[in-house]
Amino acid sequence: MNEHQMLGYIPDDTIIHKLNGTAKLVFLILLSIACMTTYDTRFLIMMTLFSLVLFKLSHIKWYQISFVVKFIFVFSLLNIVAVYLFAPEYGVELYHSRTMIFEGVGRFTLTQEQLFYEFNLVLKYFCTIPLVLIFLLTTNPSEFASSLNQIGISYKISYAVALAIRYIPDIQEDFVNISFAQQARGFEMSKKGKLAQRIKGTAQIVFPLILSSLDRIETISTAMELRRFGEKRNERGMPSVPIII
């Protein structure tokens, strides 16, 4: 795991890493449901602080998740803006009160209730996103597959998810290596380059990367078929033939 990789399992000896994968998955699901279904600001703030404490205990470094966090931040900002554009007074309907801040134009008014509602939406992101990142970076993919199977998900789907998680660092490494190769040939793709040039260069990398990824998927599928994956199952519903992934 180098400084360019993200969303890949990072071995460590923290208390979070030592927890059972199934327990972490169940905890993540229950807490995510609780945060997404409530609008109690006190509970959301408490869960946000709790998530940040867990994040600290897991010893995850900022460079390991910086790109993902920035991407999620932009997506969340767009979502907040879209919520206002499509329902500028949903907070008024939700809290059954109306305190005007700015009249605006037409239906685009600004009220304290709407701001409070969107503040709660932001808290929901801060509650759940750190937990998801902690789970992905502290849970071994094989243990994750076992956790999914233990809560009733088909072992084929469980193995597919585990393979996908294992494959993410490989895709990232290929992308970075190709990017460095492009820069070595004089095509600027770092932060020093223009935005349009960087987008064009990224597009030139992504499409070949997708094609090579499809080839790898076909290779993995063939290898698993040759190992008779899924033909026989034991009493636990898992493949009886050892699988090397």
Side-chain angles (χ1 to χ4, degrees):
M1 180 66 62
N2 56 47
E3 62 178 346
H4 301 285
Q5 291 179 331
M6 56 193 174
L7 289 185
Y9 170 62
I10 304 174
D12 207 333
D13 195 36
T14 69
I15 187 173
I16 307 298
H17 286 75
K18 294 178 180 179
L19 291 175
N20 180 269
T22 304
K24 285 191 284 187
L25 179 60
V26 173
F27 176 78
L28 172 63
I29 293 173
L30 294 178
L31 192 56
S32 298
I33 293 174
C35 291
M36 286 301 165
T37 56
T38 184
Y39 284 96
D40 189 328
T41 307
R42 295 166 298 179
F43 175 79
L44 292 175
I45 292 176
M46 183 179 65
M47 289 298 100
T48 297
L49 295 176
F50 179 65
S51 299
L52 294 177
V53 170
L54 291 180
F55 201 83
K56 182 68 175 178
L57 292 175
S58 62
H59 293 173
I60 297 175
K61 305 297 188 297
W62 168 248
Y63 70 81
Q64 297 166 341
I65 59 169
S66 59
F67 177 80
V68 177
V69 172
K70 292 175 183 177
F71 177 81
I72 294 174
F73 173 78
V74 173
F75 175 80
S76 302
L77 183 61
L78 292 175
N79 184 59
I80 294 297
V81 173
V83 167
Y84 176 76
L85 292 177
F86 285 100
E89 294 200 357
Y90 183 75
V92 175
E93 300 176 8
L94 183 65
Y95 299 111
H96 304 291
S97 64
R98 182 187 181 88
T99 306
M100 185 67 66
I101 297 177
F102 180 67
E103 281 290 344
V105 179
R107 67 188 186 93
F108 293 106
T109 59
L110 185 61
T111 62
Q112 290 184 8
E113 289 76 11
Q114 183 68 20
L115 289 179
F116 188 62
Y117 164 67
E118 299 206 3
F119 172 70
N120 283 330
L121 286 182
V122 173
L123 287 179
K124 289 175 184 286
Y125 296 139
F126 279 105
C127 286
T128 55
I129 291 173
L131 293 176
V132 173
L133 293 176
I134 291 171
F135 180 77
L136 291 176
L137 273 67
T138 63
T139 306
N140 187 288
S142 297
E143 186 179 0
F144 185 25
S146 175
S147 302
L148 292 174
N149 184 253
Q150 289 183 22
I151 64 174
I153 298 176
S154 167
Y155 73 91
K156 293 183 179 180
I157 297 177
S158 301
Y159 267 100
V161 172
L163 285 172
I165 294 176
R166 286 182 181 274
Y167 190 45
I168 289 174
D170 294 336
I171 296 177
Q172 296 166 169
E173 185 177 1
D174 289 344
F175 181 87
V176 172
N177 290 337
I178 296 173
S179 175
F180 286 160
Q182 292 281 65
Q183 294 181 53
R185 295 185 178 94
F187 194 92
E188 186 60 61
M189 293 184 59
S190 65
K191 295 180 180 180
K192 299 178 181 179
K194 296 181 179 179
L195 179 60
Q197 186 180 20
R198 291 164 59 187
I199 294 175
K200 180 180 178 182
T202 302
Q204 292 176 346
I205 294 176
V206 167
F207 290 113
L209 193 60
I210 292 175
L211 295 177
S212 64
S213 298
L214 293 176
D215 291 336
R216 290 189 181 185
I217 292 172
E218 181 65 25
T219 301
I220 293 174
S221 299
T222 302
M224 295 180 73
E225 288 179 1
L226 291 175
R227 291 180 173 86
R228 300 175 62 193
F229 176 80
E231 290 192 8
K232 293 183 180 181
R233 291 180 291 178
N234 57 25
E235 64 276 4
R236 294 184 178 180
M238 298 295 287
S240 58
V241 180
I243 306 298
I244 302 176
I245 57 175

